[in-house]
Amino acid sequence: MKKDDCIFCKIANGEIPSASPYENEEFKVILDVAPANRGHALILPKEHFDNVFEIEPETAGRIFAFATKLAKAIKEETGCDGMNLLQNNGEVAGQTVNHFHLHLVPRFKGDAVTMTWKQGEADAEDNVKLAENIAKRL
Ligand code: AMP
Ligand code: ZN
């Protein structure tokens, strides 16, 4: 299903033009209009899913599988030194477009991109309990 007021639905389905190195019947790759670095790409499903909590696992699986191929192509083309794969879900997590998308951000030595956080300290007991509780929900 597409969502009427969703810009990524329109881009993924060709109603709005984009720079796209690849598409198939299920998803489309576009280059970000405001890239963190040259070659910053997004993979968008053609069907609308708000985020990771909604996307069908099979679709997500094929998107992530394709990302491994795309990552190599971007690396070869841009000569990047590394790459971040990033996928934001919810405003609190930095999602600004509420249509699932996977970022591939090429990284260059000395670039100004930041994707870091202050490391916390795990409560070992709580982690064990938490792992058990999550396991029950899988
Ligand atoms: P996020 O913050 O994870 O939701 O990422 C949204 C991304 O979409 C940002 O990196 C934007 O630069 C990018 N973006 C927004 N509008 C467009 C557009 N029309 N074409 C390509 N990329 C876009
Ligand atoms: Zn959409």
Side-chain angles (χ1 to χ4, degrees):
M1 280 282 280
K2 282 191 276 167
K3 203 172 161 192
D4 278 348
D5 57 349
C6 174
I7 186 165
F8 278 7
C9 277
K10 291 190 171 76
I11 292 174
N13 292 282
E15 288 167 50
I16 295 178
S18 58
S20 173
Y22 179 82
E23 71 180 299
N24 62 19
E25 62 294 329
E26 193 172 37
F27 54 82
K28 183 169 193 159
V29 179
I30 64 168
L31 296 185
D32 201 294
V33 278
N37 269 331
R38 185 165 182 268
H40 181 168
L42 306 172
I43 309 181
L44 323 173
K46 292 191 174 181
E47 204 175 317
H48 181 93
F49 304 98
D50 274 1
N51 52 43
V52 75
F53 305 116
E54 291 195 352
I55 194 167
E56 287 169 6
E58 294 76 17
T59 304
R62 287 187 282 271
I63 286 175
F64 277 91
F66 185 75
T68 63
K69 191 170 183 179
L70 180 60
K72 288 180 199 147
I74 294 172
K75 187 173 190 298
E76 282 171 17
E77 180 58 29
T78 63
C80 64
D81 303 302
M83 189 173 292
N84 292 108
L85 265 63
L86 175 74
Q87 203 277 304
N88 299 325
N89 300 282
E91 195 178 347
V92 71
Q95 186 176 13
T96 58
V97 180
N98 290 323
H99 174 125
F100 178 100
H101 51 281
L102 176 62
H103 293 260
L104 286 86
V105 182
R107 298 299 304 272
F108 300 87
K109 280 183 192 121
D111 71 22
V113 177
T114 51
M115 284 190 205
T116 56
W117 56 87
K118 188 174 174 294
Q119 289 191 308
E121 211 173 299
D123 175 333
E125 247 175 70
D126 184 54
N127 260 3
V128 170
K129 216 179 302 164
L130 193 55
E132 287 170 2
N133 289 345
I134 294 168
K136 286 180 199 151
R137 295 178 185 275
L138 290 172

